[in-house]
Amino acid sequence: MKGFRAELLSLPHDPRVAGAQALRHEADGLLVVENGIVIARGDYATLAPRFPGLEIEDHRTRLLVPGFIDTHIHYPQTERIAAHGLQLLDWLDQHIFPAERAFADPAHARDVSAFFLDELLRHGTTSALVFATVHEASVDALFAAAVERNMRIASGKVLMDLGPEGLRDTPETARAESEALIARWHCKDRLTYAVTPRFALTSSDAQLAVAGDLLKAHPEALLHTHISENRDEIAAVLGHFPQASDYLDVYDRFGLVGARSIFAHGIHLSDRECCRLHESGAGVALCPTSNLFLGSGLFDLAKLDAHDVKLGLGTDVGAGTSLSMLATMGEAYKVCQLQGNPLDPFRALYLATQGGANMLGMGTQVGALMEGQEADFLLLDHAATPLAARRCAGLPLAERLFAMQILGDDRFIARTYIAGQLAHDRDAVKA
Ligand code: GUN
Ligand code: ZN
């Protein structure tokens, strides 16, 4: 058993709905962890006497928050971040598909998996929903690296039988390899399998039907894909599926829209699609840095909120420009500002933690450091840079959090803990 003394902040509920009740904050708090689980939490002065002799780490100058949940990211694209000049479909052809072909080599997949997960930890991200590649071994590599680090990760083999040369599977291999991966990894340790058709343009009807079969056979698995990101993409999808009423309807026709479905982007969704997302309980991963980088457009948070669609935040690296969920919260704020809708910093933190966890079906286990939840957390350092130290000195919580959201990156993550165990220490790395 161990205690962590710090300023504690988490958002067990959505502040859009619950207002001030959404927030749990202890200015001088104590988090008590046993066997990786939060067993008690409260004001230090009240709680400490209940645990005489408790070993306590003292982090009173830090803000302790739940680990970030990145709800959409591509690990094989890590090394292709920041590729110049193109929008989605050309960017995929010229930069991304060549990078993904290299994952036919399992040694390469293992090397990038280890680097990727260590980078997530360095950025304070403790859980993620991750695209691999079409290669079965790319998922083995990621899941094995996640088990080594005891991280709660969801992923799956990408289905793309209409993909480019060298990255194609078939409906039959998609089914067999997905089943094999599910048998090896799904619900083992802290892992979840995600059935992952790349997007509507890269799977045949037969393969989308296989994805639907896999979900029926494994109701605890997630469905992870892209939707409505780029105008040319949407036009191509509607041309390819003339019988579908809209983009979401393509997925719906194959049984891919449900409470465990996560759709990345959703920038240009119609009212009907938003209604259907709400009714089905499916979620949208908002990826602001990616949308700005690829020139895809601005997600409409007000519209998604008006339809009460489940939401999380994703970095979408390699189209996204940062692995930092703080930076992603900052860019989400700017995307909303462009539409006259200033995103509240507590809402942003909710989307980056408990909101994302709920969308990934892991909201009971992680997201808000409530008693009984797993102790994945990080320590934010508001004095990470000389400018931030000046800006944040003496600021109340909401303004301090907002400053970190706008100025933030990996330097602000002093430490990351997985199940109560230290997994990244910025200052030890520096020394
Ligand atoms: N749509 C289909 N594949 C991809 C991808 O790799 N990245 C993004 N941003 N969108 C996609
Ligand atoms: Zn993506």
Side-chain angles (χ1 to χ4, degrees):
M1 193 189 298
K2 194 165 182 181
F4 299 87
R5 184 175 183 181
E7 181 177 2
L8 306 181
L9 171 66
S10 69
L11 280 298
H13 308 290
D14 188 342
R16 182 180 68 84
V17 179
Q21 301 300 316
L23 201 107
R24 187 154 173 199
H25 177 233
E26 291 96 356
D28 179 10
L30 180 66
L31 187 78
V32 185
V33 177
E34 188 172 34
N35 297 326
I37 303 291
V38 176
I39 60 160
R41 170 179 169 178
D43 285 319
Y44 177 82
T46 317
L47 197 55
R50 275 183 41 204
F51 295 91
L54 180 70
E55 180 195 346
I56 293 177
E57 282 187 21
D58 191 338
H59 298 293
R60 261 177 286 176
T61 57
R62 309 286 197 228
L63 181 63
L64 189 159
V65 299
F68 294 130
I69 317 272
D70 187 337
T71 62
H72 180 68
I73 185 165
H74 300 248
Y75 99 80
Q77 299 177 12
T78 309
E79 295 172 335
R80 289 295 171 110
I81 193 169
H84 175 261
L86 302 169
Q87 294 214 350
L88 177 65
L89 299 175
D90 295 324
W91 172 83
L92 285 172
D93 280 337
Q94 293 185 39
H95 292 299
I96 294 310
F97 293 146
E100 294 195 4
R101 284 192 186 95
F103 286 73
D105 173 8
H108 180 65
R110 285 194 292 275
D111 174 48
V112 177
S113 291
F115 175 77
F116 168 77
L117 291 181
D118 289 341
E119 278 294 285
L120 290 193
L121 292 170
R122 226 168 52 70
H123 287 81
T125 297
T126 51
S127 286
L129 174 58
V130 185
F131 256 72
T133 64
V134 72
H135 312 96
E136 186 177 351
S138 73
V139 183
D140 284 321
L142 181 72
F143 277 153
V147 168
E148 272 173 31
R149 290 160 182 76
N150 193 27
M151 291 173 77
R152 187 167 279 290
I153 293 289
S155 187
K157 176 201 132 58
V158 178
L159 314 181
M160 45 191 299
D161 64 335
L162 301 184
E165 182 70 39
L167 281 177
R168 270 179 225 140
D169 55 359
T170 69
E172 294 72 31
T173 59
R175 186 192 301 275
E177 292 176 10
S178 300
E179 286 287 8
L181 286 163
I182 289 168
R184 276 203 290 287
W185 300 107
H186 184 43
C187 298
K188 300 264 160 68
D189 291 291
R190 305 181 76 194
L191 307 179
T192 305
Y193 195 81
V195 177
T196 310
R198 181 169 211 119
F199 66 156
L201 291 178
T202 42
S203 287
S204 64
D205 285 21
Q207 191 175 59
L208 292 172
V210 166
D213 290 348
L214 288 166
L215 290 175
K216 261 199 218 108
H218 305 282
E220 299 290 300
L222 301 173
L223 182 283
H224 184 199
T225 190
H226 296 92
I227 198 167
S228 203
E229 175 179 5
N230 168 288
R231 299 263 184 215
D232 292 342
E233 169 213 15
I234 297 167
V237 169
L238 297 181
H240 191 78
F241 296 92
Q243 67 287 19
S245 60
D246 48 42
Y247 200 151
L248 186 66
D249 190 43
V250 174
Y251 295 133
D252 226 351
R253 285 165 177 258
F254 295 96
L256 306 185
V257 181
R260 295 180 71 80
S261 303
I262 296 97
F263 298 99
H265 304 297
I267 303 176
H268 310 288
L269 295 168
S270 66
D271 282 325
R272 194 212 75 84
E273 289 171 300
C274 292
C275 284
R276 177 65 188 132
L277 287 168
H278 166 75
E279 170 194 88
S280 65
V284 173
L286 303 171
C287 306
T289 76
S290 165
N291 300 160
L292 296 170
F293 179 73
L294 289 180
S296 302
L298 307 176
F299 61 73
D300 188 343
L301 183 64
K303 178 170 173 174
L304 291 160
D305 281 343
H307 289 89
D308 198 17
V309 175
K310 217 187 271 171
L311 299 171
L313 285 180
T315 60
D316 193 31
V317 165
T321 53
S322 171
L323 289 164
S324 167
M325 291 294 285
L326 281 178
T328 305
M329 291 157 59
E331 296 306 284
Y333 175 80
K334 295 176 199 167
V335 166
C336 292
Q337 271 291 73
L338 281 165
Q339 300 167 91
N341 177 23
L343 177 63
D344 174 79
F346 293 124
R347 178 92 196 287
L349 184 60
Y350 169 78
L351 293 174
T353 56
Q354 187 68 61
N358 292 346
M359 190 170 84
L360 303 192
M362 32 180 98
T364 311
Q365 293 95 334
V366 292
L369 298 172
M370 301 295 274
E371 293 83 351
Q373 283 191 318
E374 297 161 357
D376 291 351
F377 58 88
L378 60 116
L379 299 172
L380 285 171
D381 175 9
H382 69 253
T385 69
L387 176 60
R390 283 197 178 218
R391 176 65 181 106
C392 292
L395 277 188
L397 176 64
E399 290 162 53
R400 202 168 2 113
L401 179 64
F402 181 63
M404 286 192 275
Q405 168 184 353
I406 296 304
L407 302 175
D409 55 31
D410 51 316
R411 293 171 296 179
F412 287 72
I413 313 302
R415 288 182 165 200
T416 307
Y417 291 78
I418 295 286
Q421 302 289 321
L422 185 62
H424 163 67
D425 182 348
R426 179 195 64 188
D427 301 321
V429 171
K430 247 192 226 161

